[in-house]
Every structure is written in structure tokens, then in C-alpha cells.
Amino acid sequence: SAIWIGTTFGLCGVELACLLWPGNPFDNPWLVNSGDGFRSGAGGLMVEREPGIYWKGLSIGNLADLDRRPDPYAEVVEFVTDFEGFRNTHPVKDPDIVFIGDSFTEAGNINEEQTFVSLVGKATSLSVRNFGRINYSPSEELVVLREFGLKATPRVVVWQLCEHNDLVGQFLYAEWQAHGSPPIVPKTTAGQIWMVRSPTYRLFDALSEHEPWPYAGIFCDRAGEYHSILFSNLLSYQQRPDMHRGWPLLVNDLREGHAILKERSVRLVVTLIPMKLRVMGHYVRFSPRMQTLMPLDWDIPEEETLGRALESLCEELDIPFVDTTAVLKSQAADGELVYPPFESHLSKIGHEIVAREIEQAVLSSLADAE
């Protein structure tokens, strides 16, 4: 009885400490597991990051996080935000190049010096500043350009767009505005904190049967090693500009941003990051479950892709356009993990590949301006 009573009280004390102990128990704050580090946005932004964030730890892949599995590919990452809440350890006041975009530009799954933003700056010997932020739609990126980017007086703006969710992001942003722009920052609950920390809950969760992640496959790299690969979801109308109400909204934002920059003689380069499935899916042996979920013609015809639609729009507006889909697919065909196995964003190698493409477009754009 004494042992049971002592054990019970001890366990209750541990569980209570898990609930009440101060501090942020969540992994890399780059991922939106909670509202920690975020605040309601101003001037047309749905949310903003808090300035002065410093975090260092293992950056667990977002798909591993969703599937509640360990990530053997996780590496130690530092995540720092500057005085305006953007990811710049040493923000430059008047950079030569400003980058706007979403999570692919912010790139909190790798270290700052490994991002295509930093790599382009190093390769061109030009100063850069990162104004990317996770979950931003092109409409919010236009707000960032107006409110932050133009104040930096850049020579070039690189606007990164995303095939995965930019179209639906445009529509959701318009709906948010139509409803009066209500606050949407989630608040961390005591229950969330307890579940992350509690050894009892984590043991229960580990022993419980979970439905396996449906979108998975096996990839063989150039060294002959096999990797389990997770994908976020299948392709749908959300990646089809001809079928989505978000496309006209994106067109309007890109036209407006281009006009603003042209008036100030600032060069614009648009770059597209493709969805992981469209790059690596052709070189993966899909799991039996995924094969039952997807049609044989699962990819989008090239002439109907977001990349092709953006290429036509940028050609009309005389904007240099960098679609990184082909080069990333080429490297994946050669066995490169251009996306980490349990992450839907680019790997370090993926960032190196994208950086080389952007570098050439930036230098050509500056040469044309002289």
C-alpha cells in the first residue's frame, strides 16, 4: 500500500509539473503547433511573428510531427527573428535583394545560412534580407512588400510563390477579409502543454494503434540507400489555376506588386517552388495504401500547372520567372533528396539547387537594368 500510494502521489506530482511548469514545451516555433511566438497581425496581415525569438533544437519534419513519429533526419537548427519578426539573425537595413514569400523562404526546418536567401546573397556578393513567413498567401506577401520591403529600398525583389497552397491561401485570405479580419491567433491550452510533456500520455500514445500515414512511399538515393518518404496530400483542384477561385486573386496581386516596383525602378523576379509530390512522386515506389487512393494519371498535365500559368503571366508583364520544378525533378531522378523524407519543405540540397536558379535570374535582371 505504501509503495502504491507513494507511486501514485509521485506520478501525480510529475503530471502536475508537466501541466504547470513554465516555458514553451513545443518543438521548433517555426511550425504552427500553437500560438506561441505569434500575435494578431496589423495592416492586412492575419498573423505576425513576435520579434526577438531565439530557439535552438532538433527541427522535426512537419509530416513526422503530423504522423506522430520520430524523425531520424532531424538536425539541430537555430531559429531567430529580427526586430520586425522576420528570420534574420543580422538584419541589413538597406539590402540589395529583398525576398518575400511563405514557409519555403522563411525555411525554419534548416539553418539560416543554408537557405536559398542566404546562398543567393553569398553567391552574388549582394546583401539580402528575408521577409518570408510561414502560412502567408501572396496577398499577405504583397502587404509585406508594401509595409516592410519597400522601406528597405532594395534593387531587386524576389517573390517566391508556392504550388502547394497559394491558390487556396488566396481564397481563405479573401474570406477572412470579407468577415472583418477577425483575430485568428490560436491560444496554447493547458491540455496541449500537458500532452506534449506528460510521460504517461506519451506512453499511452506510443502504445495506441494509429492509422498509418496514407501518403507514403520508398525512395532510393544515389548511394543505393532506401528512405521512407511522406507526402502531405494528393494533387487536387487546389493546385489547378484553371479550376480555382484563388488564381484571379493571385494575378491581381502580382500585377499590383509589379506596378509598385516598376514605378520605383526596382527589379522583380518571381520564383515558384513546386509541391513535393510533383517532384519526388515520379521516383518513389508508392505504398499499397497510397496506390489505392490515387489515380494512374495522378500528376497535373504540364500545360495546366500553376507553373505554366505563371510563366504566361510573367511573360506578359515582362517579369523574369524561375520555375524550379524541372531542375528539382532532374536532381530527384538522380537520387537526390531535394525534400527531406518527413518534411514537405525543401532540404539543404533543395535550397542549393533553387539558389543557383535564382542567382542567375537576379544577376541577369540587374545586368538588364544597367
Side-chain angles (χ1 to χ4, degrees), residues 79-310:
F79 188 84
V80 180
T81 59
D82 60 24
F83 64 99
E84 291 178 309
F86 295 98
R87 194 186 184 195
N88 299 282
T89 303
H90 304 290
V92 179
K93 183 180 179 182
D94 297 312
D96 296 305
I97 312 173
V98 155
F99 287 77
I100 60 174
D102 55 23
S103 51
F104 284 97
T105 295
E106 192 177 41
N109 60 308
I110 60 176
N111 280 301
E112 189 175 330
E113 64 273 12
Q114 298 165 334
T115 66
F116 60 71
V117 175
S118 296
L119 293 173
V120 168
K122 184 176 180 181
T124 59
S125 299
L126 298 172
S127 57
V128 298
R129 186 155 177 218
N130 189 334
F131 284 110
R133 198 173 272 159
I134 194 170
N135 282 4
Y136 272 13
S137 65
S139 291
E140 290 171 282
E141 292 153 12
L142 179 59
V143 174
V144 169
L145 175 63
R146 282 205 198 98
E147 299 299 320
F148 300 97
L150 295 179
K151 295 176 184 177
T153 61
R155 299 167 60 193
V156 180
V157 170
V158 176
W159 193 339
Q160 172 260 309
L161 299 173
C162 164
E163 182 179 43
H164 174 63
N165 58 4
D166 266 358
L167 295 179
V168 67
Q170 289 291 86
F171 177 72
L172 293 176
Y173 180 80
E175 288 285 292
W176 175 73
Q177 284 190 315
H179 286 84
S181 306
I184 63 166
V185 176
K187 299 297 181 183
T188 305
T189 66
Q192 285 177 300
I193 293 175
W194 174 77
M195 286 190 292
V196 171
R197 289 174 167 164
S198 169
T200 304
Y201 178 82
R202 294 173 74 174
L203 178 61
F204 169 79
D205 187 58
L207 296 176
S208 300
E209 287 190 16
H210 296 295
E211 188 74 18
W213 190 258
Y215 312 119
I218 300 296
F219 177 79
C220 181
D221 68 19
R222 63 172 56 191
E225 296 183 16
Y226 290 90
H227 305 267
S228 178
I229 302 291
L230 301 184
F231 299 100
S232 55
N233 55 274
L234 301 180
L235 294 161
S236 71
Y237 74 97
Q238 294 189 3
Q239 288 79 44
R240 300 282 296 265
D242 59 328
M243 300 173 63
H244 204 287
R245 287 178 289 176
W247 170 245
L249 303 174
L250 193 157
V251 171
N252 290 338
D253 287 336
L254 194 57
R255 287 183 184 278
E256 185 174 345
H258 175 245
I260 291 171
L261 294 172
K262 188 175 183 180
E263 183 181 347
R264 291 163 174 78
S265 299
V266 178
R267 307 294 291 181
L268 173 62
V269 173
V270 173
T271 186
L272 177 69
I273 307 295
M275 191 171 170
K276 181 179 182 180
L277 180 58
R278 290 204 61 240
V279 171
M280 299 193 68
H282 295 276
Y283 315 107
V284 165
R285 186 175 72 249
F286 293 127
S287 66
R289 175 89 186 279
M290 189 167 182
Q291 290 180 39
T292 63
L293 295 173
M294 62 193 308
L296 293 176
D297 55 342
W298 57 266
D299 202 356
I300 300 173
E302 185 61 35
E303 63 275 8
E304 299 173 15
T305 60
L306 179 60
R308 183 62 62 85
L310 283 170

Side-chain angles (χ1 to χ4, degrees), residues 59-73:
S59 181
I60 308 300
N62 65 326
L63 300 178
D65 185 67
L66 287 172
D67 197 33
R68 293 183 288 179
R69 67 162 70 186
D71 184 357
Y73 302 91

